[in-house]
Amino acid sequence: MDPELIDDCVHCGFCLPTCPTYVLWGEEMDSPRGRIHLMKQHVEGTPVTPEMAGHFDACLGCMACVTACPSGVRYDRLIEQTRAEVERVHEREPRERAVRGLVFALFPYPRRLRLSRPLTGLTRRLAPFLERAHPSLGAMAALAQAATLAAYFGTGGSPSRTAEVMHIHVNTVTQRLDRIGKLLGEGWSDPERALEIQLALRLHRLGHTSER
């Protein structure tokens, strides 16, 4: 980890609303700013703990924070260096190694992903089981939709503003909202139902924070 790149961060917080994991969980250490703070701690001598590694692992690598940062912090280089350091010094549990092996054996390969498409519906139905089997799997099954939903409500129900905040194309937002509608049912965006969903998202965020 490059200390000079770490010191470029002035902790302004412009990255926070662009980070999907921070939008979803509201946890400082699951934001780019928080992860840079952890990087600084490690550079200064703090060993990589399982909790610290978990915060680094949760980064989706979307790099929305890079374009949002007024100080030009090279978070892309920092997280790449950090992940290499974590793999070098941190011993993972066998179950976690198996999960990561599955992820890295599938997602970098378009052909394998295409072959797995018939299983995507099954994955959604199995999400509760996956959550019990390994929290990382359950979170992966719902993270994009939940983060999009939180950003959608946070921008007053505007798909275009949601796309700007998340630094994704508005068509992607529309597609995710369509999938959310199919999962939640007709009328999910009506005021009364929307309030219930927002409360559920807040409870989910609080539950995740207390677990950490």
Side-chain angles (χ1 to χ4, degrees):
M1 306 176 194
D2 190 334
E4 292 186 2
L5 293 180
I6 290 173
D7 289 340
D8 285 339
C9 177
V10 298
H11 312 290
C12 65
F14 277 80
C15 60
L16 300 184
T18 71
C19 178
T21 52
Y22 180 80
V23 169
L24 177 61
W25 294 328
E27 174 71 25
E28 173 71 16
M29 295 307 161
D30 283 315
S31 72
R33 182 174 68 181
R35 293 184 183 108
I36 290 174
H37 175 71
L38 294 176
M39 295 173 195
K40 185 177 181 66
Q41 285 187 330
H42 179 64
V43 166
E44 292 175 349
T46 303
V48 175
T49 63
E51 292 76 16
M52 187 184 293
H55 292 303
F56 294 137
D57 291 343
C59 175
L60 299 180
C62 66
M63 304 308 164
C65 57
V66 174
T67 55
C69 179
S71 301
V73 175
R74 294 301 305 274
Y75 180 81
D76 51 342
R77 291 179 59 187
L78 282 171
I79 193 64
E80 182 179 348
Q81 295 171 2
T82 300
R83 283 177 167 154
E85 176 70 3
V86 169
E87 295 309 311
R88 188 179 69 84
V89 303
H90 178 59
E91 182 68 24
R92 299 183 185 275
E93 296 181 357
R95 185 176 64 171
E96 188 176 0
R97 289 200 299 270
V99 170
R100 292 175 65 82
L102 174 64
V103 170
F104 290 118
L106 177 63
F107 286 92
Y109 303 96
R111 184 172 180 275
R112 296 178 188 178
L113 281 174
R114 284 194 296 270
L115 292 174
S116 68
R117 284 185 64 184
L119 299 176
T120 54
L122 178 63
T123 300
R124 283 194 295 270
R125 291 194 293 273
L126 288 178
F129 167 77
L130 295 173
E131 177 70 28
R132 291 193 298 272
H134 195 289
S136 297
L137 289 174
M140 285 167 57
L143 180 58
Q145 283 84 357
T148 302
L149 193 56
Y152 177 75
F153 286 132
T155 58
S158 168
S160 60
R161 285 287 298 123
T162 301
E164 291 177 12
V165 167
M166 299 190 71
H167 289 262
I168 57 179
H169 197 279
V170 68
N171 288 349
T172 302
V173 173
T174 301
Q175 292 168 359
R176 290 181 184 177
L177 292 176
D178 181 61
R179 288 196 293 270
I180 289 168
K182 291 177 181 177
L183 289 171
L184 298 181
E186 186 177 353
W188 68 269
S189 58
D190 292 344
E192 184 175 347
R193 184 81 189 284
L195 178 60
E196 294 175 354
I197 295 170
Q198 290 179 71
L199 289 173
L201 285 170
R202 287 177 178 268
L203 289 172
H204 174 77
R205 179 186 296 177
L206 290 172
H208 177 84
T209 302
S210 64
E211 288 172 4
R212 287 174 176 262

